Amino acid sequence: MSPRSVRSIAALTTLGLAALAAGVPGAASASGAAQDKHVLLLSIDGLHQTDLAWYVAHHPGSALAMLVGGGVEFTKARTPFPSDSFPGMVGQVTGGNPSSTGVYYDDTWNHALLPAGTTSCAGVTPGVEVTYFEALDNNVSSIDAGQGLAGLPGSIMQMTGNPASLINPANLPVDPTTCKPVYPHSYLKVNTVFEVARAAGLRTAWSDKHPAYEILNGPSGTGVQDLFTPEINSNAPTLGSTNDWTTDNALTMQYDSYKVQAVINEIKGFDHSGTARVGTPAIFGMNFQTVSTAEKLPVSDGLRGGYLADGLTPGPLLKRALDYINDSVGKMREAIADRHLQDSTTIILSAKHGQSPQNPAQLTRIDDGAILTALDTAWQTANPAATTPLVAFAVDDDGMLIWLNDRSAAARTFARSFLLNQSGTGNDINGNPKAFTKSGLRTVYAGEAAAAFIHVKAGDPRVPDVIGIAQVGSVYTGKMAKIAEHGGDNPDDRDVALVVSGGSVDTHEVETGAVETTQIAPTILKLLGLDPRSLQAVRIEGTAVLPIG
């Protein structure tokens, strides 16, 4: 993603900073003994249900086809909105949407927290950018995030399983009550499946793309015992290189392969490094980025990215990426079988988010920076006494989330009207000029309407003041380096694959009813014989277990 900080970094949100208890009474299931001993969760970022269906139809003997054929396939699964990696992953392990988790994106604004680096909090004006992505690393240029390992990237499996130690606290927002930095896990308002499992004496592990994913530890800070987080936005393949791991799809595959090896080591009963025997975790898994970059990059390794003209058939780069995913899933299934764990291990395969647009003809790249600068200029002209820009912060990928310095009804109405009346020229899939209207948006929610759209109270310090829902095909960028994005509310953003297969789920079924990926969390607990209502978000939102028989 490419967040845009329109003005200088300032303060964060105050909600939910108290560490919530991880071990909730009633963690044991009323049904008694666990049906499964292990749940392997795989997030294939960018994987639409249509991608999975296409691959299985064209590769009926593949590992993915066997996974689908041996379990329950959900054909109408949707991610939370915003369809960003952070709320998407948090939703899968908490059972909650941003209304209960407080997590909207990995880069947001909070009107209640204090600026990073604040050490004397009395009298400091609140409001800060919350940068829970690579910006937190001790060294963003290194795949080990600054741990100082020799021989990288070959030695990356030696990276610590405690990534909080690789976060620079000076880059964290500050709680005005305690005057202490707010780590990602403390920002999360509800507990996670990892915390519930640990309270029941079970082992946990996870692999993801930034140390900031220590948010998955939950408010206790201790949910994931072995958290492997090589930095994806570091120099690739070695320190000093001009690429990062997302700018070339072959590099993304290499990067993902480190996490695949971590999962295989864990299946074999070792920690992620493969050096310490600790037992196969009850809950473990990883995030893949290979499909996501194959959808976003126009060309990589001489192969065209994205989809063919029908918007359904993967292009050559995406086909290669899907083959890679299939091979990786096959290796994991083989490792499970080699350990004779197939009858006690359920695999859940889904995605944090989709990617939009799939149809290349729908793409309209729009320079959001120019739009937001024009909005600030128009506000200053209309309000010459204003002492700050209207826009405090914005993140725009294929939608707009905008936080305002002035949260008055007049300011929110002004911003909404401006955006819906802004026209201009962007560019299409080939870089040719393409006109846009309404800032590339179809709907704009502001103020109370924005809060209601998320299902939080108006004035919440975390909720965006303005939420712009993009027209299908709008991608906000001042460059031409990507042909799709995520974060928005269009079907291509949110309609993702979801399969539950293996262990106690061993009969092929196709569920055509609508479900949400937040339902993965209570399902994991039920599979392990734990109480889904041990999750706070499940109790708040009434999140149901997936119908898996």
Side-chain angles (χ1 to χ4, degrees), residues 398-454:
D398 70 334
M400 286 190 170
L401 304 180
I402 303 173
W403 289 261
L404 304 178
N405 282 311
D406 184 340
R407 305 191 84 188
S408 67
R412 298 188 303 251
T413 299
F414 184 94
R416 179 180 184 274
S417 176
F418 180 90
L419 292 172
L420 289 175
N421 286 281
Q422 187 76 1
S423 300
T425 303
N427 60 83
D428 67 9
I429 187 71
N430 297 311
N432 298 317
K434 186 175 182 181
F436 66 83
T437 60
K438 299 181 179 180
S439 301
L441 304 170
R442 57 181 170 86
T443 305
V444 178
Y445 300 99
E448 293 182 358
F453 185 69
I454 299 295

Side-chain angles (χ1 to χ4, degrees), residues 92 108 111 231 235 254 264 373 470 485 547:
Q92 290 185 29
T108 59
H111 286 285
E231 177 52 66
N235 299 163
Q254 180 181 340
I264 291 174
T373 298
E485 257 297 356

Side-chain angles (χ1 to χ4, degrees), residues 496-543:
V496 296
L498 176 54
V499 179
V500 182
S501 179
S504 60
V505 185
D506 57 2
T507 302
H508 178 56
E509 296 180 21
V510 177
E511 288 285 345
T512 59
V515 297
E516 297 182 356
T517 55
T518 54
Q519 293 176 249
I520 291 172
T523 303
I524 289 173
L525 295 187
K526 181 179 180 182
L527 286 166
L528 294 172
L530 302 175
D531 185 0
R533 287 184 58 79
S534 297
L535 291 169
Q536 292 158 325
V538 166
R539 299 199 302 272
I540 293 168
E541 298 189 25
T543 313

Side-chain angles (χ1 to χ4, degrees), residues 317-338:
L317 187 65
L318 185 51
K319 284 181 180 178
R320 186 184 72 173
L322 292 170
D323 284 338
Y324 169 79
I325 298 299
N326 179 71
D327 290 345
S328 298
V329 171
K331 290 176 182 177
M332 293 177 191
R333 285 169 54 89
E334 288 175 9
I336 289 169
D338 287 345

